[in-house]
């Protein structure tokens, strides 16, 4: 089977895989930025904790060597304290010991104290000294000797070069690890998406490999998300199948029914051309006229039937007053005929949901049948049956529909042949309108005639 060329699309194609991939990339970028921020903070905190322990250890060792001799506080600086701080080779170390009297006992006398001194608590703080950022630890030791009492403050400070380098190293390793994991995750997502979207490719192949006339449902295994799409496609194909079948049946039936009167017209017109007898010629002219009228009526009803079939699927139901629809149909019939139609309507509105055009066509066909096949008077009646139902009936004083025709109501071309009085489509149109409106086609004999019409469900107010 030759594949059909793809039709140009007015909408740009958007790949689901690309859109999901872009969304994942954006999410990954946001996660990566958050990770960088969190890793930087974690790295800084870890580096500060590590180096702050060294500062505290050095300060404790110095504080242990503060002694009171001859009534004065003296400091014997331990070498081990500075060896501990020398582990950070790129950093400089500063210290300051302040006696109970507030004077510097030894060290850098201008090394800053914390701006928010917490009194008797030890504390770590950041400051600048000698043009560099430093981290300092303040340790307080209480002296209670006979001649010396009060707090001795030990301040040990260190530049931050090594701790910043350590924080950056921790951050970089964390970011690299997250980035590598993110890339692997993105690749896995791409692979998973390709696997997840394979059912769509199977659906595409199944549809493309089908015969153009095959509108049967697509039945293939698919995930729940794709099954929803398949169900929508199958519903559309069922609707399309019904429309195509109705169109094919209509075309076939119309072609068959039109062929008969056209053949008869051709034969009678040929006879009229060859006939010289005025009386015979007049009869032939009368037959030609009757056949032409019948053919015109057939064409009208074919168009009406096509309209009803189309609107059954396409028309949107509206809130309608059944009395107004009946009056509009009666006026259209009266405009084309001199026949008198009596109309009986209730005083209150009779509201239903439906298509006004289809309903008018049904009422017109009921009236035409009564005018042609029944006996006057013809009465168009709209009457509420109950709180939930209402009837639209056409009554006449004739004998009604023959049993064999009544049994075939709903079939197209139910009459025998196409004559000037019947095209065989009227009741089929009425039956189609009843079906599309959820109404019931009722017909019954009365004491002095026959009535036929539609019984509707009335909208709840």
């Amino acid at each position: 089977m030759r594949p059909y060329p793809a039709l140009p699309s007015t909408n740009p194609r958007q790949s689901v895989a690309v859109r999901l991939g872009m969304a994942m990339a954006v999410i990954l970028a946001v996660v990566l930025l958050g990770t960088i921020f969190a890793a930087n903070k974690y790295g800084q905190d870890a580096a500060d904790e590590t180096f702050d322990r060294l500062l505290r250890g050095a300060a404790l060792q110095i504080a242990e060597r503060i002694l009171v001799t001859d009534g004065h506080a003296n400091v014997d600086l331990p070498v081990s304290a500075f060896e501990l701080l020398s582990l950070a080779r790129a950093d400089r170390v500063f210290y300051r010991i302040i006696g109970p009297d507030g004077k510097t006992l030894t060290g850098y006398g201008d090394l800053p104290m914390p701006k928010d001194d917490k009194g008797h608590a030890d504390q770590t703080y950041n400051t600048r000294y000698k043009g560099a950022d430093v981290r300092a630890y303040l340790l307080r030791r209480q002296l209670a000797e006979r001649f010396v009492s009060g707090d001795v403050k030990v301040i040990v400070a260190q530049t931050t070069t090594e701790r910043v380098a350590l924080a950056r190293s921790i951050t970089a390793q964390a970011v690299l690890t997250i980035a590598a994991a993110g890339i692997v995750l993105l690749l896995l997502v791409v692979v998973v998406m390709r696997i997840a979207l394979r059912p769509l490719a199977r659906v595409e192949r199944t549809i493309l490999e089908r015969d153009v006339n095959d509108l049967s449902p697509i039945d293939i295994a698919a995930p729940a998300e794709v099954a929803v799409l398949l169900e929508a496609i199958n519903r559309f194909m069922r609707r399309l199948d019904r429309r195509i079948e109705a169109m094919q049946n209509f075309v076939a039936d119309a072609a068959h029914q039109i062929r008969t009167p056209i053949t008869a017209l051709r034969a009678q017109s040929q006879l009229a051309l060859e006939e010289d007898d005025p009386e015979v010629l007049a009869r032939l002219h009368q037959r030609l006229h009757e056949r032409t009228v019948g053919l015109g009526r057939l064409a009208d009803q074919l168009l009406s039937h096509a309209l009803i079939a189309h609107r059954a699927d396409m028309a949107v139901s509206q809130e309608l007053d059944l009395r107004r629809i009946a009056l509009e149909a009666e006026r259209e019939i009266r405009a084309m005929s001199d026949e008198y139609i009596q109309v009986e309507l209730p005083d209150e509105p009779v509201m239903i949901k439906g298509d006004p055009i289809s309903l008018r066509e049904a009422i017109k066909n009921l009236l035409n049948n009564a005018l042609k096949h029944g006996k006057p008077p013809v009465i168009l009646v709209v009457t509420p049956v109950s709180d939930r139902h209402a009837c639209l009936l056409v009554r006449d004083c004739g004998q009604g529909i023959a049993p064999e025709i009544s049994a075939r109501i709903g079939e197209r071309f139910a009459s025998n042949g196409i004559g000037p009085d019947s095209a065989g489509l009227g009741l089929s149109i009425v039956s189609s309108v009843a079906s599309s409106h959820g109404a019931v086609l009722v017909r019954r004999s009365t004491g002095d005639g026959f009535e036929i019409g539609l019984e509707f469900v009335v909208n709840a107010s």
Side-chain angles (χ1 to χ4, degrees):
M1 181 179 65
R2 180 175 62 86
Y4 287 93
L7 296 177
S9 175
T10 56
N11 297 322
R13 292 187 178 182
Q14 297 180 342
S15 169
V16 175
V18 171
R19 294 177 66 180
L20 289 176
M22 292 177 63
M24 288 297 300
V26 171
I27 293 173
L28 182 60
V30 172
V31 171
L32 187 59
L33 289 175
T35 302
I36 292 174
F37 177 79
N40 182 65
K41 187 177 185 305
Y42 169 77
Q44 190 65 51
D45 291 344
D48 284 342
E49 183 179 358
T50 301
F51 282 91
D52 288 349
R53 287 182 179 181
L54 296 179
L55 290 175
R56 184 171 182 275
L60 286 172
Q61 291 186 29
I62 292 173
E64 290 175 355
R65 303 299 292 270
I66 297 175
L67 305 173
V68 178
T69 57
D70 299 331
H72 298 283
N74 296 310
V75 181
D76 182 14
L77 292 176
V79 177
S80 59
F82 297 100
E83 288 179 346
L84 188 65
L85 296 176
S86 67
L87 295 174
R89 298 179 182 276
D91 287 325
R92 291 177 291 167
V93 179
F94 310 99
Y95 67 95
R96 181 184 179 186
I97 294 91
I98 302 174
D101 56 0
K103 295 181 180 180
T104 300
L105 299 178
T106 184
Y108 297 84
D110 56 348
L111 184 62
M113 291 283 290
K115 293 181 179 179
D116 53 342
D117 194 346
K118 296 181 180 179
H120 297 286
D122 298 342
Q123 65 185 104
T124 305
Y125 62 96
N126 294 315
T127 186
R128 283 190 66 82
Y129 184 63
K130 295 187 179 298
D133 293 328
V134 297
R135 177 87 164 172
Y137 185 80
L138 170 61
L139 176 67
R140 302 172 189 272
R141 182 181 178 188
Q142 182 73 30
L143 293 180
E145 298 291 340
R146 181 175 180 181
F147 298 103
V148 180
S149 64
D151 284 341
V152 175
K153 301 179 182 68
V154 179
I155 303 174
V156 181
Q158 189 179 38
T159 56
T160 58
T161 304
E162 287 286 346
R163 71 174 63 214
V164 170
L166 177 60
R168 289 177 177 173
S169 175
I170 294 173
T171 301
Q173 291 180 9
V175 169
L176 288 175
T177 301
I178 295 296
I183 292 173
V184 173
L185 178 62
L186 190 59
L187 293 175
L188 290 175
V189 167
V190 172
V191 173
V192 170
M193 282 192 301
R194 292 179 65 88
I195 295 174
L197 294 177
R198 283 179 182 174
L200 292 177
R202 290 203 301 269
V203 173
E204 179 188 16
R205 287 195 303 270
T206 301
I207 294 176
L208 292 178
E209 291 172 358
R210 281 191 165 205
D211 186 86
V212 293
N213 296 317
D214 185 2
L215 295 176
S216 60
I218 301 172
D219 185 15
I220 60 175
E225 295 77 7
V226 180
V228 174
L229 175 62
L230 278 179
E231 180 58 29
I233 293 175
N234 286 336
R235 286 199 300 269
F236 174 77
M237 292 175 69
R238 284 193 292 268
R239 290 170 52 196
L240 184 61
D241 189 33
R242 288 196 302 269
R243 295 297 298 274
I244 291 177
E245 182 181 5
M247 181 183 66
Q248 291 173 341
N249 291 338
F250 176 78
V251 171
D253 290 341
H256 172 71
Q257 294 296 327
I258 290 176
R259 187 179 295 113
T260 300
I262 290 178
T263 302
L265 282 173
R266 184 183 298 113
Q268 290 177 5
S269 62
Q270 183 67 33
L271 290 174
L273 289 174
E274 298 173 356
E275 184 60 54
D276 295 329
D277 188 341
E279 293 183 2
V280 177
L281 190 59
R283 288 196 301 272
L284 289 174
H285 286 167
Q286 180 63 30
R287 291 176 185 172
L288 283 171
H289 174 72
E290 292 173 355
R291 286 290 182 179
T292 304
V293 170
L295 183 58
R297 184 171 295 113
L298 172 61
D300 289 340
Q301 289 196 333
L302 284 173
L303 293 174
S304 177
H305 193 277
L307 176 67
I308 297 303
H310 171 73
R311 296 187 68 85
D313 287 336
M314 304 298 295
V316 179
S317 294
Q318 306 175 23
E319 292 282 349
L320 304 171
D321 186 352
L322 195 56
R323 302 177 306 165
R324 179 182 295 274
I325 301 299
L327 286 174
E328 291 173 354
E330 186 270 337
R331 279 197 296 267
E332 291 184 26
I333 292 296
R334 188 155 34 88
M336 298 182 295
S337 172
D338 295 332
E339 301 287 345
Y340 174 72
I341 300 173
Q342 183 179 342
V343 180
E344 296 181 1
L345 303 176
D347 295 331
E348 298 297 327
V350 181
M351 303 304 296
I352 64 169
K353 265 194 172 182
D355 173 36
I357 296 177
S358 299
L359 289 171
R360 280 198 299 269
E361 291 296 322
I363 298 171
K364 286 160 58 178
N365 277 280
L366 288 174
L367 290 173
N368 278 324
N369 279 346
L371 292 172
K372 290 177 176 62
H373 303 292
K375 291 182 180 180
V378 174
I379 307 173
L380 176 59
V381 181
V382 174
T383 176
V385 176
S386 65
D387 292 339
R388 297 289 299 165
H389 295 84
C391 270
L392 185 147
L393 299 170
V394 175
R395 296 173 182 162
D396 67 80
C397 295
Q399 296 180 353
I401 303 174
E404 62 273 11
I405 298 298
S406 180
R408 298 174 58 192
I409 286 180
E411 298 180 14
R412 295 188 298 276
F413 309 108
S415 64
N416 297 321
I418 303 300
D421 295 327
S422 176
L425 276 171
L427 293 180
S428 175
I429 292 173
V430 176
S431 178
S432 297
V433 173
S435 176
S436 64
H437 285 74
V440 178
L441 179 61
V442 295
R443 63 266 192 195
R444 50 183 171 256
S445 296
T446 63
D448 54 355
F450 181 80
E451 63 182 16
I452 183 170
L454 301 174
E455 182 175 332
F456 298 91
V457 176
V458 180
N459 294 335
S461 56

